Amino acid sequence: MIEIQNLNFEYPGVLALDDVSLQVEKGDITALVGPNGAGKTTLLRCIAALDTPISGSICINGIDVLSHPREVHRQIGYLADFYSLYGQLTVEQSLRYAAMAHSIAREKISHAVQHTAQRLQIEDRLSHKVATLSRGLTQRLAIAQAIVHEPSLLLLDEPASGLDPEARHALSELFLALQAQGMTLLVSSHILAELEEYSSSMIIIRHGKIIEHQPLKAQAGQAVLVRVETTEPSPRLTALLAEQPTVEIVESDEGYCLFQFKGDKQTLHSILSILIKHDVPVYRFGEDKINMHDAYLQKVSRLKQESPA
């Protein structure tokens, strides 16, 4: 979906992007994380063909962003961290305005407005003026404007800024729904908690450099990490697990085991049944999901140890 090679961008006296290379897969929700000033917004603006790098290449669905920016604009939706809506327009008028700006044919605009409003669950607000909307509904309208032309890629810069917890959760559900409908999302934020619910991979950027790009959720057919802990030491734990053909031990002792597992839920249930049958006192057994906050802090800590300031 997105392929970036050796991208460099410079503000006067500041190298904002430093030899950035990355790939984002189709259908992924990728979190772009890092501290303020790390280069997140600059990277998104370059992908959206709004800023021009000094060197490097960006391709979206095989289209060269630098050579064909207008063609790329048809493929993407972009929501800036600071956006403006016309408060005296209705929701419907706002969507019509966005549809016309994206050159949607006049006879197709009404359908595009209705369809997009339904996707964003704001069809009951079409006659309401923007100024009367809550912060959460305003955010939904802004996203609706960004996707009214049916882009395959949605870029969002700090989309949950200023939202209350309920609105943030609703936004998470919306992003997962858009992903289920075939859209790829790249979401920038420095607040990791808001990304945890929906992101499938994480890119860490610091000082304009990509320092990590890792999956957060296993894709279909991929191995998952499973953690087992016991109430007391059990010499049988590791031996029993090692006998299972779908298990690859990562680390273990008599009261703990972390293993890679590739199989279905029924097979995983069978493994737990074997442990219990052999009187292994299991009190924890389940997928060891990656915590975004911990993964981020561990990576940054290792980086600081390797390159002390």
Side-chain angles (χ1 to χ4, degrees):
M1 168 60 72
I2 304 176
E3 295 185 12
I4 298 176
Q5 294 291 330
N6 309 115
L7 195 69
N8 294 279
F9 186 95
E10 189 173 29
Y11 295 110
V14 178
L15 188 59
L17 297 177
D18 187 359
D19 199 34
V20 168
S21 295
L22 62 89
Q23 288 187 332
V24 172
E25 299 299 326
K26 184 177 180 179
D28 202 1
I29 301 181
T30 301
L32 179 62
V33 304
N36 290 331
K40 302 187 299 295
T41 294
T42 301
L43 179 56
L44 289 179
R45 287 183 59 84
C46 287
I47 295 171
L50 298 175
D51 283 338
T52 304
I54 57 176
S55 62
S57 64
I58 310 169
C59 286
I60 296 176
N61 285 330
I63 303 170
D64 189 314
V65 171
L66 304 181
S67 300
H68 306 285
R70 295 299 183 191
E71 190 172 347
V72 164
H73 288 165
R74 300 187 185 98
Q75 300 276 336
I76 66 171
Y78 175 66
L79 181 65
D81 52 349
F82 297 104
Y83 61 87
S84 295
L85 299 175
Y86 296 103
Q88 295 307 306
L89 293 181
T90 66
V91 170
E92 182 175 5
Q93 288 171 332
S94 298
L95 290 175
R96 284 185 171 276
Y97 173 82
M100 294 172 67
H102 284 292
S103 300
I104 294 176
R106 186 173 296 275
E107 66 274 11
K108 297 181 179 180
I109 288 178
S110 292
H111 173 75
V113 168
Q114 290 291 331
H115 177 62
T116 305
Q118 289 173 2
R119 293 178 80 180
L120 276 294
Q121 299 178 1
I122 54 174
E123 66 270 25
D124 59 336
R125 307 298 178 110
L126 286 172
S127 63
H128 293 209
K129 286 191 174 182
V130 174
T132 67
L133 301 179
S134 67
R135 181 71 175 85
L137 288 174
T138 301
Q139 189 79 325
R140 283 179 177 263
L141 174 57
I143 295 172
Q145 287 186 321
I147 67 170
V148 70
H149 59 302
E150 300 281 348
S152 57
L153 171 65
L154 180 58
L155 309 174
L156 302 122
D157 196 356
E158 303 285 351
S161 177
L163 297 183
D164 61 39
E166 288 186 14
R168 289 189 180 196
H169 178 67
L171 197 65
S172 298
E173 292 183 331
L174 169 62
F175 291 162
L176 289 170
L178 292 176
Q179 180 192 34
Q181 294 166 18
M183 193 173 292
T184 303
L185 290 83
L186 179 58
V187 187
S188 162
S189 180
H190 65 283
I191 304 174
L192 300 184
E194 74 185 39
L195 300 165
E196 194 80 54
E197 293 185 32
Y198 54 81
S199 299
S200 47
S201 62
M202 174 175 66
I203 297 172
I204 302 176
I205 183 169
R206 284 176 64 85
H207 307 300
K209 286 181 172 290
I210 302 297
I211 63 171
E212 185 74 45
H213 188 178
Q214 68 177 88
L216 297 171
K217 299 177 182 177
Q219 302 299 314
Q222 289 185 340
V224 298
L225 280 176
V226 177
R227 181 182 296 270
V228 185
E229 296 181 24
T230 60
T231 57
E232 58 187 51
S234 175
R236 296 181 176 182
L237 174 62
T238 302
L240 287 169
L241 290 173
E243 292 174 357
Q244 309 308 313
T246 56
V247 168
E248 181 179 341
I249 305 294
V250 176
E251 57 185 40
S252 67
D253 59 28
E254 291 189 352
Y256 155 84
C257 185
L258 186 68
F259 64 87
Q260 284 192 326
F261 169 78
K262 192 171 183 179
D264 57 24
K265 293 180 179 179
Q266 185 59 45
T267 304
L268 196 59
H269 171 72
S270 299
I271 292 172
L272 175 58
S273 298
I274 290 170
L275 295 178
I276 294 173
K277 179 180 178 181
H278 288 82
D279 297 322
V280 177
V282 176
Y283 82 89
R284 177 180 177 182
F285 185 97
E287 185 178 344
D288 195 48
K289 295 181 179 180
I290 298 173
N291 180 282
M292 181 182 288
H293 185 266
D294 291 343
Y296 174 79
L297 292 180
Q298 288 171 9
K299 180 61 181 180
V300 171
S301 177
R302 289 196 301 268
L303 187 68
K304 288 180 178 178
Q305 292 174 3
E306 295 168 1
S307 306

